[in-house]
Amino acid sequence: MQPLPGCKGHQVNQASANMKKSILLSGLALFTILSGCEKNDARPVEEVLADLEGKCLQGKVVKGMRCTSAVYVQLLNASTGTTSTFEGKKYKNIVLLSNFPKNSCLGVGDSFYFTLDTSSEFDHCTEFYACTTEDLTVFDEPHPVTIKTCLKTFSVSGCTGK
């Protein structure tokens, strides 16, 4: 098809506009892909636990694990590089601690201080309690939670020692 006389400039401007539009759309798509996904900068569990070992950690109770001594805790003064979702809300630095004192009197949102016992396996330090039918009802739990470890020391006023 022959261009109409006097329309040559229009074709160049149209091609230029299409090129700009294509570059803009490509840039927008790349930006959406890179910023639309929340990045989990998770390091290997062993590396995170080695960094946390022996440190006085402060955490906030997010949720107890039914019928056990395990509690989901958000670390307030340390990073795991992970983000978990619970009840539609995102939480950074959630860990699952076992060997949590049954008589701690702490509830969801309460903070406390602790150290970890990384020499014990999570399954070996988890106590199981008698459950009622109501306890067995399915409830949401934070997900994903990759760091599961044992509690060594517990305090509501601060860490002792080191």
Side-chain angles (χ1 to χ4, degrees):
M1 182 161 131
Q2 286 277 349
L4 295 173
C7 292
K8 188 173 185 180
H10 176 70
Q11 287 176 333
V12 172
N13 288 340
Q14 183 67 30
S16 178
N18 286 342
M19 179 67 101
K20 287 179 185 177
K21 187 176 180 181
S22 177
I23 290 171
L24 181 62
L25 288 175
S26 295
L28 184 60
L30 183 61
F31 175 78
T32 302
I33 290 168
L34 294 177
S35 66
C37 301
E38 179 131 352
K39 186 178 177 189
N40 259 358
D41 290 329
R43 299 175 289 157
V45 172
E46 297 79 17
E47 186 179 313
V48 174
L49 288 174
D51 285 349
L52 298 177
E53 176 76 31
K55 291 183 179 174
C56 177
L57 301 170
Q58 183 180 16
K60 178 174 69 172
V61 176
V62 174
K63 171 127 174 88
M65 192 172 179
R66 297 173 307 278
C67 308
T68 71
S69 64
V71 176
Y72 291 96
V73 174
Q74 181 179 28
L75 299 178
L76 301 176
N77 65 345
S79 175
T80 61
T82 61
T83 302
S84 304
T85 303
F86 177 57
E87 295 181 340
K89 184 177 176 186
K90 292 188 184 261
Y91 292 86
K92 291 187 179 280
N93 309 313
I94 297 276
V95 297
L96 182 58
L97 288 180
S98 192
N99 200 26
F100 198 78
K102 189 174 186 175
N103 60 353
S104 72
C105 297
L106 294 181
V108 172
D110 292 339
S111 64
F112 63 101
Y113 299 88
F114 61 100
T115 58
L116 301 177
D117 179 4
T118 59
S119 65
S120 297
E121 291 200 26
F122 178 82
D123 293 336
H124 294 134
C125 64
T126 302
E127 290 184 55
F128 292 89
Y129 308 128
C131 289
T132 65
T133 307
E134 187 176 289
D135 291 331
L136 295 175
T137 306
V138 176
F139 293 101
D140 283 341
E141 294 181 352
H143 178 78
V145 176
T146 56
I147 298 176
K148 300 173 182 178
T149 189
C150 302
L151 188 70
K152 185 174 189 176
T153 64
F154 169 88
S155 171
V156 292
S157 59
C159 291
T160 57
K162 286 185 174 179

